[in-house]
Amino acid sequence: MSKSVISSDKAPAAIGTYSQAIKAGNTVYMSGQIPLDPKTMELVEGFEAQTVQVFENLKAVAEAAGGSFKDIVKLNIFLTDLSHFAKVNELMGRYFEQPYPARAAIGVAALPRGSQVEMDAILVLE
């Protein structure tokens, strides 16, 4: 099985020893995205804006892989404050339709750069 690096300039550049995504066979493993504006590499402000930016970053990487949110089979959401869970569900409804991906929402103590939210995903391409 071959693996290839997926990257998009419409999503933040990797800021460490990782790739935005790796494609292995027809599966794409997307690295965690935090709410960095890909043009400025600065964190956007406010929980809702951060969540939207994370979805947009994931969307850009999914598209670079030749897929879309319809191809996401697993989504992991990391939150520094689980009281935002209802807002995440509301915003997720703007990006996904049924059948929804399998999902985990995990409360964490901290995220890179003081972000309030991070997400990673797995896509399966046809």
Side-chain angles (χ1 to χ4, degrees), residues 34-66:
I34 61 173
L36 293 176
D37 180 317
K39 293 182 180 91
T40 65
M41 291 299 287
E42 296 293 325
L43 203 67
V44 299
E45 294 295 323
F47 181 78
E48 184 167 342
Q50 285 195 2
T51 304
V52 168
Q53 186 65 57
V54 169
F55 280 127
E56 290 298 321
N57 293 346
L58 287 174
K59 181 180 172 187
V61 177
E63 289 173 351

mmCIF file of all heavy atoms in Angstrom, residues 34-66:
data_model
loop_
_atom_site.group_PDB
_atom_site.id
_atom_site.type_symbol
_atom_site.label_atom_id
_atom_site.label_comp_id
_atom_site.label_asym_id
_atom_site.label_seq_id
_atom_site.Cartn_x
_atom_site.Cartn_y
_atom_site.Cartn_z
ATOM 1 N N ILE A 34 -6.608 23.383 14.147
ATOM 2 C CA ILE A 34 -7.037 24.393 15.100
ATOM 3 C C ILE A 34 -7.468 25.612 14.291
ATOM 4 O O ILE A 34 -7.237 25.664 13.078
ATOM 5 C CB ILE A 34 -5.940 24.718 16.147
ATOM 6 C CG1 ILE A 34 -4.676 25.267 15.486
ATOM 7 C CG2 ILE A 34 -5.640 23.491 17.007
ATOM 8 C CD1 ILE A 34 -3.635 25.763 16.483
ATOM 9 N N PRO A 35 -8.097 26.596 14.921
ATOM 10 C CA PRO A 35 -8.679 27.710 14.172
ATOM 11 C C PRO A 35 -7.679 28.796 13.758
ATOM 12 O O PRO A 35 -7.829 29.970 14.069
ATOM 13 C CB PRO A 35 -9.738 28.250 15.122
ATOM 14 C CG PRO A 35 -9.235 27.917 16.469
ATOM 15 C CD PRO A 35 -8.529 26.610 16.323
ATOM 16 N N LEU A 36 -6.672 28.385 13.007
ATOM 17 C CA LEU A 36 -5.739 29.353 12.451
ATOM 18 C C LEU A 36 -6.252 29.813 11.096
ATOM 19 O O LEU A 36 -6.662 28.983 10.274
ATOM 20 C CB LEU A 36 -4.351 28.736 12.272
ATOM 21 C CG LEU A 36 -3.589 28.353 13.532
ATOM 22 C CD1 LEU A 36 -2.280 27.664 13.162
ATOM 23 C CD2 LEU A 36 -3.337 29.565 14.406
ATOM 24 N N ASP A 37 -6.214 31.098 10.857
ATOM 25 C CA ASP A 37 -6.502 31.642 9.533
ATOM 26 C C ASP A 37 -5.320 31.267 8.651
ATOM 27 O O ASP A 37 -4.180 31.609 8.965
ATOM 28 C CB ASP A 37 -6.647 33.159 9.626
ATOM 29 C CG ASP A 37 -6.952 33.812 8.299
ATOM 30 O OD1 ASP A 37 -6.329 33.434 7.280
ATOM 31 O OD2 ASP A 37 -7.779 34.730 8.280
ATOM 32 N N PRO A 38 -5.535 30.550 7.545
ATOM 33 C CA PRO A 38 -4.407 30.098 6.738
ATOM 34 C C PRO A 38 -3.600 31.233 6.094
ATOM 35 O O PRO A 38 -2.434 31.050 5.773
ATOM 36 C CB PRO A 38 -5.042 29.207 5.679
ATOM 37 C CG PRO A 38 -6.478 29.529 5.680
ATOM 38 C CD PRO A 38 -6.814 30.084 7.026
ATOM 39 N N LYS A 39 -4.204 32.392 5.943
ATOM 40 C CA LYS A 39 -3.484 33.518 5.332
ATOM 41 C C LYS A 39 -2.547 34.186 6.337
ATOM 42 O O LYS A 39 -1.435 34.573 5.999
ATOM 43 C CB LYS A 39 -4.470 34.538 4.778
ATOM 44 C CG LYS A 39 -5.274 34.014 3.592
ATOM 45 C CD LYS A 39 -6.200 35.085 3.046
ATOM 46 C CE LYS A 39 -6.996 34.569 1.871
ATOM 47 N NZ LYS A 39 -8.272 33.994 2.245
ATOM 48 N N THR A 40 -2.994 34.324 7.580
ATOM 49 C CA THR A 40 -2.208 35.050 8.588
ATOM 50 C C THR A 40 -1.520 34.122 9.582
ATOM 51 O O THR A 40 -0.613 34.558 10.291
ATOM 52 C CB THR A 40 -3.107 36.009 9.385
ATOM 53 O OG1 THR A 40 -4.067 35.233 10.136
ATOM 54 C CG2 THR A 40 -3.824 36.992 8.466
ATOM 55 N N MET A 41 -1.972 32.866 9.650
ATOM 56 C CA MET A 41 -1.504 31.888 10.639
ATOM 57 C C MET A 41 -1.756 32.386 12.060
ATOM 58 O O MET A 41 -1.082 31.994 12.994
ATOM 59 C CB MET A 41 -0.030 31.537 10.424
ATOM 60 C CG MET A 41 0.216 30.737 9.152
ATOM 61 S SD MET A 41 -0.629 29.137 9.117
ATOM 62 C CE MET A 41 0.359 28.214 10.297
ATOM 63 N N GLU A 42 -2.772 33.243 12.216
ATOM 64 C CA GLU A 42 -3.183 33.739 13.526
ATOM 65 C C GLU A 42 -4.484 33.054 13.933
ATOM 66 O O GLU A 42 -5.321 32.730 13.088
ATOM 67 C CB GLU A 42 -3.392 35.255 13.499
ATOM 68 C CG GLU A 42 -2.134 36.057 13.215
ATOM 69 C CD GLU A 42 -1.104 35.978 14.323
ATOM 70 O OE1 GLU A 42 -1.501 35.919 15.504
ATOM 71 O OE2 GLU A 42 0.101 35.959 14.008
ATOM 72 N N LEU A 43 -4.653 32.873 15.237
ATOM 73 C CA LEU A 43 -5.864 32.280 15.780
ATOM 74 C C LEU A 43 -7.023 33.263 15.633
ATOM 75 O O LEU A 43 -6.874 34.439 15.946
ATOM 76 C CB LEU A 43 -5.627 31.982 17.264
ATOM 77 C CG LEU A 43 -6.469 30.931 17.954
ATOM 78 C CD1 LEU A 43 -6.152 29.557 17.401
ATOM 79 C CD2 LEU A 43 -6.179 30.956 19.450
ATOM 80 N N VAL A 44 -8.170 32.794 15.139
ATOM 81 C CA VAL A 44 -9.350 33.655 15.087
ATOM 82 C C VAL A 44 -9.949 33.723 16.491
ATOM 83 O O VAL A 44 -9.711 32.854 17.331
ATOM 84 C CB VAL A 44 -10.394 33.176 14.041
ATOM 85 C CG1 VAL A 44 -9.796 33.177 12.648
ATOM 86 C CG2 VAL A 44 -10.952 31.818 14.385
ATOM 87 N N GLU A 45 -10.719 34.771 16.755
ATOM 88 C CA GLU A 45 -11.245 35.020 18.092
ATOM 89 C C GLU A 45 -12.696 34.584 18.240
ATOM 90 O O GLU A 45 -13.478 34.717 17.306
ATOM 91 C CB GLU A 45 -11.138 36.511 18.420
ATOM 92 C CG GLU A 45 -9.713 37.027 18.526
ATOM 93 C CD GLU A 45 -8.936 36.414 19.677
ATOM 94 O OE1 GLU A 45 -9.535 36.190 20.751
ATOM 95 O OE2 GLU A 45 -7.736 36.149 19.494
ATOM 96 N N GLY A 46 -13.049 34.096 19.410
ATOM 97 C CA GLY A 46 -14.426 33.724 19.725
ATOM 98 C C GLY A 46 -14.702 32.272 19.393
ATOM 99 O O GLY A 46 -14.246 31.759 18.375
ATOM 100 N N PHE A 47 -15.474 31.601 20.256
ATOM 101 C CA PHE A 47 -15.694 30.165 20.072
ATOM 102 C C PHE A 47 -16.370 29.836 18.742
ATOM 103 O O PHE A 47 -15.937 28.935 18.030
ATOM 104 C CB PHE A 47 -16.493 29.551 21.227
ATOM 105 C CG PHE A 47 -16.678 28.081 21.035
ATOM 106 C CD1 PHE A 47 -15.638 27.209 21.312
ATOM 107 C CD2 PHE A 47 -17.855 27.570 20.516
ATOM 108 C CE1 PHE A 47 -15.768 25.849 21.080
ATOM 109 C CE2 PHE A 47 -18.002 26.209 20.287
ATOM 110 C CZ PHE A 47 -16.954 25.355 20.571
ATOM 111 N N GLU A 48 -17.445 30.542 18.394
ATOM 112 C CA GLU A 48 -18.142 30.223 17.152
ATOM 113 C C GLU A 48 -17.231 30.438 15.943
ATOM 114 O O GLU A 48 -17.153 29.579 15.055
ATOM 115 C CB GLU A 48 -19.415 31.062 16.999
ATOM 116 C CG GLU A 48 -20.215 30.685 15.762
ATOM 117 C CD GLU A 48 -21.617 31.265 15.743
ATOM 118 O OE1 GLU A 48 -22.140 31.680 16.793
ATOM 119 O OE2 GLU A 48 -22.206 31.278 14.636
ATOM 120 N N ALA A 49 -16.520 31.547 15.905
ATOM 121 C CA ALA A 49 -15.598 31.819 14.798
ATOM 122 C C ALA A 49 -14.499 30.767 14.744
ATOM 123 O O ALA A 49 -14.089 30.340 13.652
ATOM 124 C CB ALA A 49 -15.004 33.217 14.927
ATOM 125 N N GLN A 50 -14.017 30.329 15.903
ATOM 126 C CA GLN A 50 -12.982 29.301 15.921
ATOM 127 C C GLN A 50 -13.508 27.985 15.354
ATOM 128 O O GLN A 50 -12.836 27.332 14.555
ATOM 129 C CB GLN A 50 -12.455 29.086 17.348
ATOM 130 C CG GLN A 50 -11.543 30.199 17.813
ATOM 131 C CD GLN A 50 -10.752 29.831 19.047
ATOM 132 O OE1 GLN A 50 -10.838 28.726 19.574
ATOM 133 N NE2 GLN A 50 -9.956 30.776 19.508
ATOM 134 N N THR A 51 -14.709 27.622 15.733
ATOM 135 C CA THR A 51 -15.283 26.362 15.254
ATOM 136 C C THR A 51 -15.509 26.409 13.748
ATOM 137 O O THR A 51 -15.182 25.452 13.032
ATOM 138 C CB THR A 51 -16.599 26.056 16.008
ATOM 139 O OG1 THR A 51 -16.329 26.043 17.408
ATOM 140 C CG2 THR A 51 -17.185 24.721 15.579
ATOM 141 N N VAL A 52 -16.037 27.510 13.248
ATOM 142 C CA VAL A 52 -16.236 27.669 11.803
ATOM 143 C C VAL A 52 -14.896 27.586 11.080
ATOM 144 O O VAL A 52 -14.776 26.914 10.041
ATOM 145 C CB VAL A 52 -16.972 28.994 11.494
ATOM 146 C CG1 VAL A 52 -16.922 29.329 10.008
ATOM 147 C CG2 VAL A 52 -18.414 28.916 11.975
ATOM 148 N N GLN A 53 -13.855 28.231 11.613
ATOM 149 C CA GLN A 53 -12.542 28.200 10.966
ATOM 150 C C GLN A 53 -11.984 26.780 10.924
ATOM 151 O O GLN A 53 -11.413 26.360 9.918
ATOM 152 C CB GLN A 53 -11.560 29.126 11.682
ATOM 153 C CG GLN A 53 -10.220 29.254 10.967
ATOM 154 C CD GLN A 53 -10.355 29.927 9.619
ATOM 155 O OE1 GLN A 53 -10.842 31.045 9.527
ATOM 156 N NE2 GLN A 53 -9.932 29.251 8.568
ATOM 157 N N VAL A 54 -12.182 26.023 11.991
ATOM 158 C CA VAL A 54 -11.722 24.636 11.997
ATOM 159 C C VAL A 54 -12.440 23.833 10.910
ATOM 160 O O VAL A 54 -11.812 23.085 10.156
ATOM 161 C CB VAL A 54 -11.906 23.991 13.387
ATOM 162 C CG1 VAL A 54 -11.693 22.485 13.323
ATOM 163 C CG2 VAL A 54 -10.954 24.616 14.395
ATOM 164 N N PHE A 55 -13.764 23.995 10.808
ATOM 165 C CA PHE A 55 -14.495 23.286 9.749
ATOM 166 C C PHE A 55 -13.992 23.702 8.367
ATOM 167 O O PHE A 55 -13.836 22.864 7.471
ATOM 168 C CB PHE A 55 -16.003 23.526 9.866
ATOM 169 C CG PHE A 55 -16.691 22.679 10.896
ATOM 170 C CD1 PHE A 55 -17.488 23.259 11.872
ATOM 171 C CD2 PHE A 55 -16.570 21.294 10.902
ATOM 172 C CE1 PHE A 55 -18.145 22.487 12.830
ATOM 173 C CE2 PHE A 55 -17.208 20.510 11.843
ATOM 174 C CZ PHE A 55 -18.001 21.109 12.813
ATOM 175 N N GLU A 56 -13.735 24.982 8.169
ATOM 176 C CA GLU A 56 -13.233 25.452 6.871
ATOM 177 C C GLU A 56 -11.842 24.885 6.586
ATOM 178 O O GLU A 56 -11.543 24.522 5.441
ATOM 179 C CB GLU A 56 -13.217 26.981 6.827
ATOM 180 C CG GLU A 56 -14.601 27.607 6.793
ATOM 181 C CD GLU A 56 -15.418 27.241 5.557
ATOM 182 O OE1 GLU A 56 -14.836 27.168 4.450
ATOM 183 O OE2 GLU A 56 -16.635 27.023 5.698
ATOM 184 N N ASN A 57 -11.002 24.800 7.591
ATOM 185 C CA ASN A 57 -9.674 24.215 7.401
ATOM 186 C C ASN A 57 -9.774 22.739 7.039
ATOM 187 O O ASN A 57 -9.085 22.262 6.128
ATOM 188 C CB ASN A 57 -8.823 24.409 8.664
ATOM 189 C CG ASN A 57 -8.471 25.856 8.938
ATOM 190 O OD1 ASN A 57 -8.614 26.728 8.081
ATOM 191 N ND2 ASN A 57 -8.016 26.127 10.150
ATOM 192 N N LEU A 58 -10.629 22.009 7.747
ATOM 193 C CA LEU A 58 -10.834 20.598 7.418
ATOM 194 C C LEU A 58 -11.384 20.437 6.005
ATOM 195 O O LEU A 58 -10.970 19.547 5.256
ATOM 196 C CB LEU A 58 -11.796 19.945 8.414
ATOM 197 C CG LEU A 58 -11.264 19.667 9.813
ATOM 198 C CD1 LEU A 58 -12.390 19.164 10.707
ATOM 199 C CD2 LEU A 58 -10.124 18.661 9.786
ATOM 200 N N LYS A 59 -12.322 21.302 5.632
ATOM 201 C CA LYS A 59 -12.911 21.252 4.294
ATOM 202 C C LYS A 59 -11.841 21.430 3.231
ATOM 203 O O LYS A 59 -11.819 20.705 2.229
ATOM 204 C CB LYS A 59 -13.979 22.343 4.177
ATOM 205 C CG LYS A 59 -14.685 22.399 2.849
ATOM 206 C CD LYS A 59 -15.720 23.513 2.873
ATOM 207 C CE LYS A 59 -16.299 23.731 1.502
ATOM 208 N NZ LYS A 59 -17.173 24.904 1.458
ATOM 209 N N ALA A 60 -10.921 22.372 3.433
ATOM 210 C CA ALA A 60 -9.866 22.627 2.457
ATOM 211 C C ALA A 60 -8.965 21.405 2.279
ATOM 212 O O ALA A 60 -8.603 21.045 1.153
ATOM 213 C CB ALA A 60 -9.039 23.840 2.874
ATOM 214 N N VAL A 61 -8.632 20.751 3.373
ATOM 215 C CA VAL A 61 -7.768 19.564 3.285
ATOM 216 C C VAL A 61 -8.535 18.408 2.649
ATOM 217 O O VAL A 61 -7.991 17.670 1.814
ATOM 218 C CB VAL A 61 -7.202 19.190 4.672
ATOM 219 C CG1 VAL A 61 -6.369 17.913 4.589
ATOM 220 C CG2 VAL A 61 -6.352 20.339 5.229
ATOM 221 N N ALA A 62 -9.802 18.244 3.005
ATOM 222 C CA ALA A 62 -10.618 17.187 2.392
ATOM 223 C C ALA A 62 -10.695 17.381 0.881
ATOM 224 O O ALA A 62 -10.553 16.426 0.110
ATOM 225 C CB ALA A 62 -12.017 17.171 3.003
ATOM 226 N N GLU A 63 -10.904 18.623 0.454
ATOM 227 C CA GLU A 63 -10.975 18.909 -0.982
ATOM 228 C C GLU A 63 -9.634 18.664 -1.664
ATOM 229 O O GLU A 63 -9.591 18.163 -2.788
ATOM 230 C CB GLU A 63 -11.464 20.332 -1.206
ATOM 231 C CG GLU A 63 -12.942 20.494 -0.857
ATOM 232 C CD GLU A 63 -13.444 21.929 -0.901
ATOM 233 O OE1 GLU A 63 -12.624 22.869 -1.035
ATOM 234 O OE2 GLU A 63 -14.679 22.106 -0.782
ATOM 235 N N ALA A 64 -8.535 18.982 -0.998
ATOM 236 C CA ALA A 64 -7.206 18.725 -1.567
ATOM 237 C C ALA A 64 -6.972 17.229 -1.762
ATOM 238 O O ALA A 64 -6.236 16.819 -2.659
ATOM 239 C CB ALA A 64 -6.121 19.323 -0.669
ATOM 240 N N ALA A 65 -7.643 16.426 -0.940
ATOM 241 C CA ALA A 65 -7.535 14.973 -1.052
ATOM 242 C C ALA A 65 -8.472 14.409 -2.116
ATOM 243 O O ALA A 65 -8.449 13.211 -2.386
ATOM 244 C CB ALA A 65 -7.840 14.324 0.297
ATOM 245 N N GLY A 66 -9.312 15.270 -2.692
ATOM 246 C CA GLY A 66 -10.280 14.804 -3.680
ATOM 247 C C GLY A 66 -11.598 14.391 -3.066
ATOM 248 O O GLY A 66 -12.394 13.703 -3.696
#
